[in-house]
Amino acid sequence: MRKAFLNLFKIIPVISLIPITATSCGSERIVFANSESYMSDEVMQNLRIKHPNISFLPYETNEEIENKFAKYYDFAVPSTYELLNLKRNDQLAKIDWTKFNIKKEDGSIIRNGIDAISSNIFSETINTLITKLDKKYREEGYYSTNESILDYGIPYFLQSFSFAYKGKSIPELDAATNWETTFDLIDSYNPIDARFTPSKERRIAVVSDARSVYGICNSISYDGVNPPKDVETIEDFTNIYSNLGKHFKEGYTYFNTDSGQIISTLAKHYPHGASSAIAYNGDLLYAAEGGGTEDVTDPNEFHFCKFDKTLIALDMVVLNKKDQSNSIKFKKMHDIVNQLCLSGTSYGEDIRQKDGDEYKYDSMNNFSFVAYTSPLRKVCDYVMDDNDSFFADDVTEDSQTIKLLQRIYNIDPSEVSDINYIEENISSELVKSNMHWAFNIMKGKL
C-alpha cells in the first residue's frame, strides 16, 4: 500500500510479527492483519500502549485473508467481496455497536449498523454506497432484512481507480469522463506529444494488479468491472485486456506491483519521472503532494481526470467470530476498532482537535498518514472545507493547489451509484488463474 517505501524502517520496530504456526484466536494475543503501511505507525504505537498484547501482521492480497483468517487473524481489512466470502463461511463476528458508545445528536447511542447509516457519522458517499450494497446483499441472502453490512464490517477507506498526467494541460483529456475516451486520446497523442511517446523516462505508470486493470478494461466492453459469465478462458480475458493493450505501444507502459514506486515516479516534477499514471486516487493524491520526497506539485502541471464510472473499492475492518466467546477479548477488540476507525465521531466531538503535533483522535491521525478517501463525514468535511482545509497545513495560501488535492481526494455519491463498479468475488480458481495468465500475456507485449 501507499507510503511503504518511505516508512519501512519506521514500521518494522512497531510491528510484532507472530509465527505463522501459532493460533491467535484461542489466546489473549490480538492479531491485527492488514496490508503493509495501511495504518499509521504512530497509531500502531498508540494501540500498543493501550493493548500491549496486540500484534500487527502484514498480508498482500484479499485471497491471503481468506486462507488465514479463521486460524491466524483476529482482525483483517478486506474489500467488500472478500468480506462476503468470510461471511459466507460463517467466520465473521457480528459487531456490537453499543460497545462503541457513539452518541447521536439526541444523546442516544448508535445501536447497530442500520442505526449507524441514519446517524450521519459516515459521509454521504458511504451512506449511498452502503444503502445500495445492503439492498443487493440482502436479496442475495448474505444477511437478514434488519441487518446491514455495517453489522459485520466497519468502513476503513474508500478508493477509486483513476488517471493523472503531468505537464501542460490538454483540455480534451481533462474533459474525458471514461476510460475508453482517455485511452483513445492517449493513443492519438503518440507521436505528437512527447509525454505519450514511448521512452525510458516518460512513460505511463500502471499499478500491476490483474483484477484492478481488468476492471477498467471490462468497463469499456460491458457495464461494470466484473467479468460476465461467458468470460472464462485465457482468450476471453486477453480480448478484454486488449482494451488497454491495443492503445499503448511497446516500451511505453511501466507496470509495478508496489504503489510506492508508482507514487515515486509520478511525484517527480515534470518533465522527470512518469508522464502519467493509472492508480488509485489516494496514491495519485500522495504523488500530487510530492510523495514525501518532492515539493507539492504545481497545479498547472499535474492534472487529474475524474470519470463518471470507474472501479471503486471499499475496505472494511472485520472481527473473527471465534473471539465472541471470550467476552474480555471481544470487548478489547471493539475498543481497538473504535480507536482506529470511529474515534471523534460522537455528536459534539471535534475531530480536528490537536494534542500537540498529533490529532486528539486516532481516526484522524490514521487518515493523516494513509490519506485515502475517508468514510467519516467529519474527516471529509475537514478535507473539503474551503476556509480551513486539512490540506492547508501543507499548502500555504495556495487555493489552486488545495482545490486540486480536494478534487483528487473527493469521491462523489454519484460515483458509487452503480454497484456494478464494485468488485465481486470470482469463485472459480480456474477463471482467476486464466485472468492472471491473460494479464501477464498483455504485460509481456507492453
Side-chain angles (χ1 to χ4, degrees):
M1 301 303 295
R2 62 181 279 110
K3 305 186 185 179
F5 66 113
L6 297 177
N7 292 277
L8 179 61
F9 296 104
K10 292 168 66 180
I11 289 171
I12 286 175
V14 179
I15 296 180
S16 298
L17 296 181
I18 63 171
I20 201 64
T21 56
T23 300
S24 68
C25 300
S27 69
E28 286 301 315
R29 183 185 292 273
I30 298 174
V31 179
F32 198 117
N34 199 357
S35 296
E36 190 172 2
S37 294
Y38 204 17
M39 188 188 301
S40 159
D41 47 343
E42 287 82 8
V43 170
M44 286 192 284
Q45 291 181 39
N46 292 342
L47 289 170
R48 287 289 300 274
I49 290 170
K50 291 186 177 181
H51 306 279
N53 59 338
I54 190 171
S55 298
F56 297 92
L57 190 66
Y59 57 74
E60 294 185 356
T61 65
N62 275 280
E63 287 68 31
E64 191 173 344
I65 301 174
E66 187 171 2
N67 294 332
K68 298 178 180 178
F69 184 76
K71 189 174 182 181
Y72 302 115
Y73 302 161
D74 297 301
F75 295 97
V77 190
S79 297
T80 48
Y81 75 86
E82 186 56 44
L83 181 153
L84 294 181
N85 285 338
L86 299 175
K87 179 69 171 65
R88 185 189 301 112
N89 295 332
D90 197 29
Q91 295 176 359
L92 295 186
K94 188 169 183 178
I95 294 165
D96 184 354
W97 276 84
T98 64
K99 286 182 167 63
F100 301 140
N101 198 35
I102 300 173
K103 292 181 173 59
K104 299 186 286 187
E105 186 172 1
D106 63 4
S108 63
I109 64 170
I110 296 175
R111 307 198 66 82
N112 52 51
I114 292 177
D115 200 10
I117 296 175
S118 61
S119 68
N120 208 28
I121 65 170
F122 295 117
S123 68
E124 182 183 352
T125 298
I126 289 295
N127 282 346
T128 298
L129 179 57
I130 294 297
T131 299
K132 289 182 174 293
L133 291 177
D134 278 347
K135 183 178 184 298
K136 175 181 174 62
Y137 297 156
R138 286 172 189 145
E139 292 173 352
E140 294 176 351
Y142 283 101
Y143 40 82
S144 65
T145 55
N146 63 348
E147 290 182 317
S148 166
I149 195 173
L150 296 177
D151 289 309
Y152 297 95
I154 302 298
Y156 192 60
F157 285 103
L158 183 68
Q159 306 170 62
S160 67
F161 215 48
S162 307
F163 175 75
Y165 70 98
K166 300 186 304 190
K168 184 179 178 181
S169 172
I170 304 173
E172 58 182 351
L173 190 56
D174 295 340
T177 59
N178 58 66
W179 287 105
E180 183 173 20
T181 301
T182 299
F183 290 161
D184 286 342
L185 287 170
I186 290 173
D187 197 6
S188 70
Y189 298 145
N190 174 34
I192 306 169
D193 191 318
R195 289 172 291 180
F196 304 101
T197 302
S199 71
K200 184 177 181 180
E201 180 74 359
R202 291 184 296 274
R203 295 189 289 175
I204 182 168
V206 183
V207 173
S208 186
D209 179 79
R211 187 70 195 271
S212 299
V213 174
Y214 176 82
I216 61 175
C217 293
N218 190 82
S219 68
I220 294 174
S221 296
Y222 301 95
D223 181 21
V225 298
N226 299 294
K229 292 181 179 179
D230 60 352
V231 175
E232 298 179 326
T233 67
I234 293 174
E235 183 179 2
D236 293 336
F237 283 109
T238 298
N239 288 336
I240 301 297
Y241 278 123
S242 70
N243 285 328
L244 182 149
K246 67 185 179 183
H247 291 289
F248 299 148
K249 304 297 185 290
E250 183 179 355
Y252 176 54
T253 311
Y254 167 64
F255 286 97
N256 200 306
T257 57
D258 182 359
S259 64
Q261 296 300 319
I262 304 295
I263 293 167
S264 180
T265 186
L266 189 66
K268 294 177 181 179
H269 292 182
Y270 185 77
H272 305 291
S275 60
S276 57
I278 296 172
Y280 283 103
N281 68 312
D283 293 324
L284 298 178
L285 174 62
Y286 192 45
E289 292 178 287
T293 59
E294 305 281 344
D295 293 332
V296 176
T297 190
D298 180 346
N300 294 310
E301 291 194 348
F302 194 102
H303 312 280
F304 176 73
C305 298
K306 202 169 187 66
F307 300 140
D308 292 336
K309 293 181 179 180
T310 189
L311 171 64
I312 298 291
L314 174 62
D315 295 332
M316 306 183 78
V317 177
V318 298
L319 286 62
N320 196 313
K321 187 175 183 178
K322 289 184 178 180
D323 294 315
Q324 287 182 143
S325 59
N326 186 333
S327 60
I328 296 175
K329 182 177 182 179
F330 201 51
K331 174 62 168 63
K332 289 179 180 178
M333 291 172 66
H334 279 76
D335 290 343
I336 291 167
V337 173
N338 192 21
Q339 181 177 340
L340 175 65
C341 302
L342 298 168
S343 55
T345 59
S346 279
Y347 181 78
E349 291 179 335
D350 182 7
I351 209 165
R352 308 183 190 192
Q353 184 177 347
K354 285 195 170 184
D355 183 7
D357 293 334
E358 293 189 5
Y359 289 95
K360 177 180 178 179
Y361 299 105
D362 273 337
S363 61
M364 188 65 212
N365 285 320
N366 198 43
F367 163 74
S368 68
F369 171 80
V370 178
Y372 282 163
T373 304
S374 172
L376 301 180
R377 177 184 58 82
K378 289 183 181 180
V379 175
C380 291
D381 288 348
Y382 184 16
V383 171
M384 301 305 293
D385 190 332
D386 289 333
N387 297 315
D388 183 26
S389 173
F390 165 79
F391 294 126
D393 289 344
D394 299 320
V395 184
T396 306
E397 298 180 358
D398 185 348
S399 60
Q400 191 177 359
T401 300
I402 292 175
K403 289 290 187 186
L404 170 64
L405 300 180
Q406 288 174 325
R407 187 166 181 266
I408 299 172
Y409 167 89
N410 189 47
I411 300 176
D412 293 317
S414 61
E415 295 176 62
V416 301
S417 61
D418 188 343
I419 57 174
N420 288 320
Y421 288 82
I422 296 282
E423 287 181 352
E424 296 178 355
N425 181 51
I426 299 176
S427 58
S428 168
E429 293 300 321
L430 176 59
V431 172
K432 288 181 185 178
S433 176
N434 289 341
M435 172 186 285
H436 283 83
W437 270 106
F439 181 61
N440 288 327
I441 290 172
M442 178 195 69
K443 287 200 304 179
K445 295 178 178 179
L446 298 178

